[in-house]
């Protein structure tokens, strides 16, 4: 089996401006789905980028980014893309909108891998109806700059031009991903996204991601292993032992320097202890004439017999 190879360095440009008229002018990038702002969800999907540029007014985000703004303000997606590209240097750039609740890093990796394996200028997703989604795409950065320069000369600027003008100048490959391409243009879309995240099979991962964002941590851990530990502590010791044990595992891991390895080692020790505890509580009374169970490091009682 070939080992997974992460994609080479890339930059990301996230377009987070716009009037959001179909949302009544609401701050769409800040709308929360699954407890996290839409913009933060997109930033998590492109966390592997060497540099990430967000074209919008600065705001608090879950991870550091470079801020840019189009000229003129409100000049539309091509002007925003041009402004973002000016802060990038990688050969390939991922271009995303800020309203993609289900975009994941593996989809970004897939776009980049497909681009690198082809001679295309870019690779974009299509939605369930086959429509192009040019703001869920990976591009050859030099070809984007050439296309934008061509349109600037042809139209004396980029303000007000639709994205399809740029797409028409590029040789593109298309891949389908109905889930990752889902975007939130209306409040009905927001409601649909929020409902899906709470479906069985999604809610736990979404909750863990939201907690990590809220606490400002970036740590991959064995969620299943920690759940098994919590179950063993609840069944073998006492129900309140489950949350307290997992808290202590986290504290011990932090004391040991943090990281997945530290969490795994602390969890292993706690699971072993829970198993020993449960075994003691279920062991039958010691048969007559046999020796009781003792800890391996116990010392014999050498006190004089009082009898």
């Amino acid at each position: 089996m070939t080992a997974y190879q992460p994609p080479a360095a890339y930059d990301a440009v996230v377009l987070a401006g716009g009037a959001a008229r179909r949302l009544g002018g609401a701050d769409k990038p800040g709308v929360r789905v699954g407890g996290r702002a839409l913009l933060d969800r997109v930033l998590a999907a492109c966390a592997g980028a060497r540099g990430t540029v967000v074209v919008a007014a600065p705001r608090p985000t879950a991870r550091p980014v470079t801020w840019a703004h189009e000229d003129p303000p409100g000049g539309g997606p091509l002007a925003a893309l041009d402004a973002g590209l000016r802060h990038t240097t990688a050969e390939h750039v991922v271009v995303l909108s800020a309203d993609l609740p289900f975009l994941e890093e593996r989809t970004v990796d897939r776009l980049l891998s497909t681009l690198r394996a082809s001679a295309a200028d870019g690779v974009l997703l299509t939605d369930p109806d086959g429509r192009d989604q040019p703001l869920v795409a990976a591009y050859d950065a030099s070809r984007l700059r050439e296309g934008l320069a061509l349109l600037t000369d042809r139209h004396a600027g980029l303000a007000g031009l639709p994205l399809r003008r740029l797409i028409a100048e590029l040789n593109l490959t298309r891949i389908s991903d109905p889930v990752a391409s889902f975007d939130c243009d209306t409040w009905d879309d927001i409601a649909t996204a929020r409902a899906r995240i709470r479906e069985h099979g999604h809610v736990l991962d979404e909750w863990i991601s939201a907690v990590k964002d809220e606490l400002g941590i970036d740590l991959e851990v064995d969620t299943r292993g920690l759940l098994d530990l919590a179950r063993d502590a609840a069944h073998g010791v006492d129900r309140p032992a489950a949350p307290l044990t997992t808290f202590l595992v986290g504290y011990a891991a932090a004391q040991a320097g943090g990281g997945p390895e530290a969490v795994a080692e602390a969890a292993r020790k706690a699971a072993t202890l829970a198993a020993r505890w449960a075994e003691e509580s279920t062991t039958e009374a010691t048969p007559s004439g046999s020796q009781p169970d003792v800890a391996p490091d116990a010392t014999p009682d050498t006190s004089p017999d009082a009898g």
Side-chain angles (χ1 to χ4, degrees), residues 5-305:
Q5 296 294 327
Y10 72 95
D11 289 330
V13 175
V14 181
L15 305 190
R21 293 183 181 86
R22 296 172 70 184
L23 288 177
D27 174 26
K28 182 160 68 169
V31 172
R32 294 184 179 274
V33 173
R36 292 191 289 163
L38 284 171
L39 176 57
D40 282 336
R41 299 181 71 88
V42 173
L43 292 178
C46 60
R50 184 176 64 186
T52 300
V53 184
V54 179
V55 186
R59 66 177 66 220
T61 53
R63 67 182 185 87
V65 300
T66 298
W67 298 97
H69 58 86
E70 69 270 31
D71 185 22
L78 286 187
L81 176 57
D82 182 63
L85 275 177
R86 295 178 186 275
H87 295 272
T88 66
T89 57
E91 177 183 1
H92 296 125
V93 60
V94 171
V95 178
L96 305 168
S97 62
D99 61 351
L100 302 164
F102 305 127
L103 184 67
E104 296 182 353
E105 195 164 6
R106 62 186 176 185
T107 302
V108 171
D109 289 350
R110 182 184 174 203
L111 288 167
L112 289 163
S113 298
T114 304
L115 176 60
R116 293 189 176 102
S118 72
D121 299 329
V123 180
L124 52 76
L125 292 191
T126 58
D127 69 12
D129 296 322
R131 292 185 294 254
D132 288 348
Q133 298 294 313
L135 296 184
V136 199
Y139 297 98
D140 180 300
S142 63
R143 288 293 296 123
L144 273 188
R145 292 188 178 94
E146 291 171 6
L148 289 169
L150 177 67
L151 291 173
T152 299
D153 291 342
R154 186 181 297 166
H155 299 278
L158 297 171
L161 293 181
L163 272 170
R164 66 175 180 273
R165 296 287 182 89
L166 177 62
I167 298 308
E169 302 294 335
L170 301 175
N171 171 31
L172 299 173
T173 295
R174 293 160 173 83
I175 57 179
S176 176
D177 191 329
V179 175
S181 62
F182 181 90
D183 56 3
C184 293
D185 290 327
T186 68
W187 286 113
D188 284 344
D189 294 335
I190 297 291
T192 297
R194 287 172 171 169
R196 183 181 187 277
I197 278 172
R198 285 164 173 75
E199 292 175 359
H200 179 68
H202 299 283
V203 66
L204 183 58
D205 288 341
E206 290 289 346
W207 169 248
I208 295 300
S209 295
V211 170
K212 289 195 293 186
D213 270 5
E214 193 70 18
L215 299 181
I217 59 176
D218 183 15
L219 176 68
E220 293 301 324
V221 297
D222 180 5
T223 302
R224 180 55 55 189
L226 288 176
L227 288 174
D228 289 344
L229 169 61
R231 178 203 62 206
D232 293 344
H235 292 173
V237 184
D238 194 18
R239 289 183 65 86
L244 293 173
T245 301
T246 52
F247 165 77
L248 292 172
V249 163
Y251 187 84
Q255 292 286 86
E261 296 81 6
V263 174
E265 177 62 11
R268 182 193 65 78
K269 290 180 177 179
T272 300
L273 175 61
R276 292 202 306 264
W277 187 289
E279 183 179 359
E280 289 180 15
S281 67
T282 58
T283 300
E284 295 180 354
T286 304
S288 176
S290 66
Q291 294 295 321
D293 290 339
V294 295
D297 58 349
T299 57
D301 184 5
T302 57
S303 59
D305 189 352

